[in-house]
Amino acid sequence: MTMKQNVDLRVKIAGVELKNPVMPASGTFGSGLEYAQMMDLSRLGAIVTKGVSNVPWAGNDVPRVTEVAAGMLNAIGLQNPGVDVFIRRDLAFLKQIDTKVIVNVCGKSEEDYLEVVERLSDEDRVDLLEINVSCPNVKEGAIAFGQNPDSLFHITQEIKKKAKQPVIMKLTPNVTSIAQTARAAEAGGADAISLINTITGMKIDVERQRFVLANRTGGLSGPAIRPVAVRMVYEAAQAVSIPIIGMGGIGSAEDALEFILAGASAVAVGAMNFHDPLTMLHVIDGLEDYCRRHGIERISELTGAVHA
Amino acid sequence: MSSAVRKTSTLVQSARMISENICELVLVYPAGERPEEAVPGQFVMIYPNDGAHMLGRPISVCGYDPLAGALRLVFRTAGAGTKELAALQPGEHVDVLGLLGNGYPMEELRTRKSEGAKIALIGGGIGIPPMLELARQLPGCHAVLGYRTNDLFLYGEFEEYAVTAAATEDGSAGTKGTVLDVLKQDKAPDLICACGPLPMLRAIKQYAEENGAAAFLSLEERMACGVGVCLGCVCTTTHKDEHSQVHRARVCTEGPVFRAEDVAI
């Protein structure tokens, strides 16, 4: 019989300590309100909010979601109530929850992003900012900033000038070299990066001979994208020294460990929250169990443990 | 009002096809996790066991027995997910989230009924099953059911609770035509509750406006989460929605039942 060993699941992202490395991916958890009756939100390492913009956004037409093999496509189009209501309603709710808060920020122009960043700068409930420069489903802004290393470098720099909280740049997989965009974010002053956002995809209804999604294209997420995401986290980890939050189809502790071993300091669960709202709690328990079985005292020891 | 929502492993009590491509599943919640009641119009997310299908399928409640914790679902087998659900065997388990969403406003309906209002329950195609629980909880209404052919699934059960009439597209039973053709044969109802395909709901909305009737419509939309976080299943609203701050409401959370005048369909 072995002694029950304590496992330290704490990780640090840009100087902010999380009680464990598990959080929801932006857009799959609202601000946690809807899931509060199903789980103890304070068990999460952090809550990452749905993207928030300077004014309310109506998003795309329906159909906005559809299932594909081991995954889903979405083209919500970043519908959100705008930063004023977000602060009044969502941040007020999050004040009651004992966990870190990462607010995801979206915009159509540089000014949009900066306005939200400034509005949030005095909100002490915001621990970190995650900048969405990678959404494939809005026509202006978003992904355009994230696909070109020069624009990514520039907008990161501008946001860093205004932001009072540490800045995570969320990267798109829809690029030729993730190492190049990761380096651009780091050079622009990003405190951390998160990846991957969804992979642009398309589904066609063959009976009706038309696009399934009103937006025609959508972002692919779920287990189908996991190997791509693990590979990209690995490549980014080889390219930069800032912390990485890894995501893409995580549904179990084993999945999360792939990302951590590839170089992620923390992980996010996205589409699999829709399969089972308690997925994150299972991942946290499974990480603790894994560390025990492998005699690992601190989960942070595992970050990047697999390399060439 | 509603008990805590969680994903629950339910026991398949029976599974059978009741019509061409129409499956009836009866699922039993485990003791201690049984919803106290089902409001007609509510739905569950039901998850195929095959891991390649990660999302739940939203299916409306056709019947619920709170004492036995038995949930009856009647749905069309359309894609691979619903076909897998239709192949479930008694004794197997299947995961269910819910009851979810807001059903029909039962208090208001009961009050209107007791005041003598003529209430019509309209179901079209696979929109028929959810109206059965409403007919059961609000007996003495008029039910108008729209079918393609004389394969009148659930029709006999409606007759136990409601004055029931059918419309068939091919005229092989009841009135040839649509549910509207049946409605127009009689004095207009004061209040309409409807579930069915979008063209039918549009026609009902217009008919209700023209005849000064109140109408409640149960909307359908593709869903991912079922609980209001993903914003996949929105409908367009006629007023700014409180939650979204735009003219969008979540079908899963603010609906699926809406007042006809509140939605632009």
Side-chain angles (χ1 to χ4, degrees):
Chain A
M1 199 169 83
T2 54
M3 290 282 289
K4 196 164 177 179
Q5 165 211 348
N6 280 327
V7 177
D8 186 354
L9 288 182
R10 291 175 299 172
V11 296
K12 259 192 182 166
I13 301 287
V16 177
E17 187 181 279
L18 315 183
K19 62 179 87 173
N20 65 61
V22 182
M23 62 189 80
S26 177
T28 65
F29 209 66
S31 292
L33 186 68
E34 289 80 5
Y35 285 125
Q37 62 162 339
M38 287 185 240
M39 72 175 84
D40 177 4
L41 296 176
S42 71
R43 287 201 59 205
L44 303 175
I47 290 177
V48 185
T49 71
K50 168 88 180 156
V52 57
S53 51
N54 56 340
V55 294
W57 283 8
N60 292 326
D61 289 338
V62 292
R64 290 177 169 186
V65 291
T66 188
E67 192 184 61
V68 295
M72 62 177 286
L73 289 169
N74 90 80
I76 308 299
L78 290 171
Q79 180 187 322
N80 80 91
V83 68
D84 290 333
V85 167
F86 172 80
I87 289 172
R88 203 161 65 231
R89 181 175 67 200
D90 299 49
L91 271 190
F93 163 74
L94 288 167
K95 282 190 174 126
Q96 316 158 43
I97 313 295
D98 175 27
T99 187
K100 300 298 179 193
V101 171
I102 303 178
V103 176
N104 185 285
V105 176
C106 56
K108 289 174 178 154
S109 66
E110 187 178 307
E111 292 70 35
D112 286 359
Y113 284 100
L114 294 176
E115 188 183 336
V116 179
V117 166
E118 285 191 301
R119 287 280 284 109
L120 294 171
S121 62
D122 293 327
E123 297 293 334
D124 52 12
R125 193 59 194 94
V126 181
D127 296 296
L128 292 144
L129 299 172
E130 181 181 59
I131 310 300
N132 181 354
V133 284
S134 42
C135 178
N137 299 323
V138 294
K139 289 194 172 52
E140 315 153 74
I143 199 169
F145 292 103
Q147 280 180 321
N148 179 318
D150 293 335
S151 353
L152 179 60
F153 170 79
H154 174 76
I155 197 163
T156 307
Q157 253 190 342
E158 294 306 307
I159 285 167
K160 277 299 289 177
K161 283 181 198 159
K162 293 278 185 339
K164 297 245 177 80
Q165 296 93 347
V167 170
I168 306 161
M169 298 304 286
K170 185 165 184 179
L171 304 185
T172 173
N174 302 303
V175 293
T176 309
S177 165
I178 196 72
Q180 197 182 13
T181 43
R183 276 192 217 104
E186 184 179 46
D191 300 286
I193 52 176
S194 55
L195 64 151
I196 59 174
N197 205 319
T198 56
I199 303 174
T200 309
M202 178 182 282
K203 184 175 163 80
I204 288 172
D205 182 332
V206 295
E207 285 302 319
R208 295 176 184 173
Q209 302 193 356
R210 62 187 192 204
F211 305 106
V212 171
L213 297 177
N215 191 54
R216 301 199 294 271
T217 60
L220 177 63
S221 61
I225 71 169
R226 198 167 59 235
V228 178
V230 172
R231 184 265 295 177
M232 287 195 159
V233 164
Y234 177 79
E235 288 178 356
Q238 303 308 305
V240 299
S241 55
I242 50 177
I244 296 172
I245 302 171
M247 68 199 76
I250 294 175
S252 68
E254 288 67 29
D255 300 342
L257 283 157
E258 282 198 69
F259 284 85
I260 292 169
L261 292 167
S265 297
V267 293
V269 173
M272 286 300 278
N273 287 317
F274 304 151
H275 177 71
D276 181 356
L278 302 187
T279 301
M280 286 185 284
L281 303 188
H282 300 321
V283 171
I284 295 166
D285 292 341
L287 289 178
E288 192 171 354
D289 181 56
Y290 176 90
C291 289
R292 274 214 186 90
R293 284 192 288 113
H294 289 261
I296 290 150
E297 287 175 32
R298 285 181 298 276
I299 190 130
S300 55
E301 294 166 28
L302 292 174
T303 293
V306 171
H307 50 78
Chain B
M1 180 202 77
S2 64
S3 47
V5 169
R6 72 188 74 180
K7 196 173 171 188
T8 307
S9 177
T10 64
L11 175 72
V12 179
Q13 188 177 78
S14 67
R16 63 190 181 111
M17 301 304 288
I18 61 168
S19 176
E20 198 189 338
N21 300 327
I22 307 282
C23 174
E24 178 203 72
L25 271 184
V26 178
L27 308 173
V28 179
Y29 289 91
E33 296 187 47
R34 294 174 177 172
E36 286 165 30
E37 59 163 355
V39 181
Q42 282 191 298
F43 68 99
V44 294
M45 294 295 272
I46 176 169
Y47 298 81
N49 290 320
D50 174 359
H53 302 297
M54 53 170 282
L55 299 180
R57 271 61 183 162
I59 296 176
S60 291
V61 173
C62 173
Y64 182 63
D65 173 359
L67 287 177
L71 174 72
R72 184 186 187 199
L73 304 174
V74 172
F75 57 93
R76 176 168 286 143
T77 53
T82 43
K83 279 178 187 148
E84 191 210 305
L85 293 173
L88 285 166
Q89 297 294 315
E92 289 186 316
H93 284 80
V94 65
D95 285 344
V96 161
L97 182 69
L99 305 166
L100 301 170
N102 294 308
Y104 288 92
M106 295 309 292
E107 235 182 78
E108 182 177 342
L109 296 183
R110 288 195 183 100
T111 305
R112 291 293 306 275
K113 184 114 200 9
S114 67
E115 292 166 358
K118 179 181 177 184
I119 299 180
L121 315 182
I122 315 288
I126 205 58
I128 290 171
M131 305 314 286
L132 184 58
E133 180 65 11
L134 181 55
R136 194 182 68 78
Q137 291 194 24
L138 198 70
C141 295
H142 292 257
V144 182
L145 311 178
Y147 297 90
R148 282 194 191 135
T149 66
N150 60 2
D151 183 1
L152 307 181
F153 60 92
L154 301 181
Y155 186 91
E157 290 187 62
F158 274 90
E159 286 185 303
E160 294 174 36
Y161 312 112
V163 179
T164 308
T168 54
E169 282 174 20
D170 65 1
S172 55
T175 300
K176 180 170 166 47
T178 69
V179 291
L180 262 296
D181 296 313
V182 177
L183 276 180
K184 286 170 183 168
Q185 290 167 3
D186 205 350
K187 174 177 159 287
D190 304 303
L191 195 153
I192 299 173
C193 298
C195 183
L198 202 52
M200 182 195 103
L201 295 180
R202 286 189 185 123
I204 293 285
K205 182 174 151 94
Q206 192 189 344
Y207 172 86
E209 278 164 15
E210 287 166 3
N211 289 277
F216 294 92
L217 310 176
S218 181
L219 302 189
E220 190 179 39
E221 188 48 64
R222 286 167 186 267
M223 293 182 184
C225 73
V227 295
V229 305
C230 76
L231 310 184
C233 66
V234 296
C235 63
T236 302
T237 55
T238 47
H239 301 95
K240 189 173 90 173
D241 174 73
E242 172 63 28
H243 178 267
S244 70
Q245 297 292 308
V246 291
H247 287 228
R248 307 275 202 204
R250 299 167 294 184
V251 170
C252 68
T253 306
E254 278 76 47
V257 176
F258 292 91
R259 282 174 198 276
E261 64 268 29
D262 290 344
V263 288
I265 56 171

